[in-house]
Amino acid sequence: MGIRDLVKTAGSRAILAIVTPKNNEDEQALGDQLYTALGLPLRGHWRTRKPKLMGHLHQYGTQCLIVDDAHDLSLEHLMFIKEITDQGRLQYDHPLGLCLVAAGRGNTIPLKETLDLPDPTWLQFRRRLDKMNPFCRIAGHTSEEVREILAALEIVYRELFPQLNLRRWTGSIYTWLTQPVLDPASSGRVTMDYLMKLVTTALEWTYQAGETDVRAETLEVAASLLVLRRDTLRLIDGAGPDIEAPRSESTEQKQASGTEVEGVSESANPPENPVQAQTLHTDKGDQISSEHATSHSAVMDQKQPTKSTKCTFSGAVPIDLKRFLESDVALVECPDCAATRTLEPHGGILRFKSHDKRKTATPVTSKRWARGKTDWDVVGGESK
């Protein structure tokens, strides 16, 4: 995001940003990236296009090259970059700035092993690094910086959420995103990646619910998914023909009303079967009695809808018994009612039997936060 904003501010050719070619260590792959960023065609052989590249950079007034994913640069790529910058200085008196953006973990400095090689090429490369700050690290965000980001997001999403107030949840968001799972180094910093995932997920749910401001419960559920279930695999699968989804009361009432209408329409349109017609329409009195019984039955269905306490979801899938024993997973969650059951595989088969519906389906509880473990999810009768 920082690279993108910098390019937009300075101009797409004043600051040229490219991504390191993957699975191609040739210098031409990196050169083609530069040609494409300048908007130039890739016609001709590389031997003839290579000497002209620095001339194009000088012509377009390029002041700095930014190479993202620089940890994937090969020795050939780095030597080509050095050659380009040398050519610009000698032939065009054009100092070309260079910024290598690499991903690192802990105290490791990317590319340092390559730049520390004893060859004269890398000695010259190392001497041209910035005198005061050759290696810089972009740290995560503090609590105060998280507040500033949330304030900016309020402005960005103001049109969709007129009453959006994310700043009041700064303390909770900072606490959730500095959990040991998301901050294993205990740096006390929040990464932009996790912060944006949490906020955008909560805002999507808020928009679907038709609300104008995000609620604490919504943010907490999104944080729970990031922390507790970040490594959980969910299988997206359709329900089989034998699995009947539980019906709501409104659906049953609509079906009951439909039964009443059908009873009236059947009386208006006699059935084609002569025997059935003789039974239903022996005389006018029997016909009225039949219609009245149908209407009365429909009204009783509306007044007393059936409520099942059993969840109809069930399933059986083959599993790898060895992998199951090594996984240290003890519970499986029903996707229909969120009830949990102990995993008991028999003969290489895992069965999720018929069970009572869960009375309350609370996504986040204090026990799950304290435990910090991830339950297995079952979707469509299969387990992960």
Side-chain angles (χ1 to χ4, degrees):
M1 295 178 65
I3 295 174
R4 183 181 62 190
D5 291 343
L6 186 60
V7 171
K8 286 183 177 180
T9 303
S12 60
R13 291 177 176 176
I15 296 181
L16 209 62
I18 62 173
V19 181
T20 301
K22 304 299 188 293
N23 303 320
N24 194 337
E25 298 181 353
D26 296 338
E27 63 176 26
Q28 180 180 348
L30 188 64
D32 288 343
Q33 291 271 42
L34 293 172
Y35 265 96
T36 303
L38 288 172
L40 299 175
L42 301 179
R43 293 191 297 266
H45 199 276
W46 172 242
R47 288 198 303 267
T48 60
R49 290 191 292 117
K50 178 181 176 180
K52 301 177 182 179
L53 179 56
M54 187 57 223
H56 293 307
L57 295 174
H58 176 67
Q59 177 184 354
Y60 286 112
T62 303
Q63 300 296 320
C64 181
L65 294 180
I66 299 179
V67 182
D68 198 12
D69 290 345
H71 51 274
D72 292 328
L73 287 172
S74 65
L75 297 179
E76 289 78 5
H77 293 157
L78 290 171
M79 293 181 69
F80 173 65
I81 291 175
K82 179 181 178 298
E83 184 178 353
I84 287 292
T85 54
D86 288 347
Q87 182 186 5
R89 190 74 178 188
L90 293 175
Q91 296 183 7
Y92 300 93
D93 193 21
H94 185 119
L96 188 63
L98 176 65
C99 178
L100 304 180
V101 182
R105 191 176 183 86
N107 295 323
T108 303
I109 300 178
L111 301 177
K112 196 170 187 307
E113 292 183 359
T114 301
L115 300 180
D116 286 342
L117 293 175
D119 298 350
T121 299
W122 309 120
L123 178 61
Q124 294 175 351
F125 201 112
R126 191 164 58 248
R127 285 176 177 174
R128 297 176 186 180
L129 295 177
D130 186 86
K131 296 182 290 296
M132 303 300 297
N133 301 299
F135 301 101
C136 303
R137 169 189 281 178
I138 301 176
H141 301 294
T142 63
S143 177
E144 186 59 33
E145 290 172 340
V146 170
R147 179 182 298 274
E148 295 177 0
I149 295 172
L150 295 178
L153 291 177
E154 291 177 2
I155 300 175
V156 172
Y157 293 103
R158 183 71 67 190
E159 183 177 353
L160 295 176
F161 304 96
Q163 302 177 359
L164 185 61
N165 186 0
L166 293 170
R167 281 171 288 180
R168 56 178 170 170
W169 312 118
T170 300
S172 300
I173 292 176
Y174 176 79
T175 302
W176 293 331
L177 298 184
T178 51
Q179 294 279 334
V181 178
L182 303 182
D183 185 19
S186 300
S187 64
R189 298 295 186 105
V190 174
T191 63
M192 193 67 171
D193 178 42
Y194 292 135
L195 179 59
M196 291 302 297
K197 284 181 179 178
L198 171 60
V199 174
T200 54
T201 300
L203 291 181
E204 287 174 1
W205 293 344
T206 302
Y207 182 78
Q208 292 174 359
E211 300 174 352
T212 57
D213 190 10
V214 65
R215 295 184 291 115
E217 295 80 1
T218 306
L219 286 168
E220 190 175 4
V221 174
S224 173
L225 294 178
L226 281 175
V227 176
L228 298 181
R229 298 190 177 186
R230 61 191 300 264
D231 295 325
T232 299
L233 298 177
R234 291 186 64 90
L235 176 66
I236 309 301
D237 194 6
D242 297 331
I243 300 178
E244 182 181 358
R247 298 180 300 177
S248 61
E249 295 183 11
S250 60
T251 304
E252 292 177 353
Q253 292 177 359
K254 290 180 181 179
Q255 292 182 354
S257 301
T259 305
E260 180 179 357
V261 175
E262 289 176 359
V264 176
S265 61
E266 286 179 358
S267 63
N269 300 319
E272 296 180 0
N273 191 340
V275 178
Q276 185 179 3
Q278 184 178 2
T279 303
L280 294 177
H281 303 286
T282 52
D283 55 35
K284 188 174 183 180
D286 291 342
Q287 182 179 0
I288 296 175
S289 300
S290 176
E291 291 177 358
H292 177 72
T294 303
S295 302
H296 179 71
S297 176
V299 173
M300 293 300 294
D301 289 341
Q302 290 182 354
K303 291 183 179 180
Q304 298 178 355
T306 58
K307 295 183 179 179
S308 175
T309 60
K310 289 288 185 180
C311 180
T312 59
F313 179 83
S314 62
V317 293
I319 64 172
D320 188 338
L321 207 54
K322 181 179 178 181
R323 292 180 61 187
F324 165 74
L325 295 176
E326 293 176 351
S327 65
D328 193 26
V329 176
L331 296 177
V332 64
E333 183 177 292
C334 176
D336 286 351
C337 67
T340 56
R341 289 291 179 270
T342 304
L343 292 173
E344 296 180 355
H346 298 285
I349 297 294
L350 173 64
R351 297 186 180 276
F352 199 95
K353 300 179 181 179
S354 180
H355 53 278
D356 294 332
K357 294 182 178 179
R358 185 174 178 180
K359 294 182 180 180
T360 58
T362 305
V364 181
T365 63
S366 58
K367 293 183 179 180
R368 297 177 75 178
W369 275 100
R371 184 171 68 242
K373 293 184 179 179
T374 302
D375 298 339
W376 278 14
D377 295 333
V378 170
V379 180
E382 297 194 22
S383 65
K384 287 293 175 187

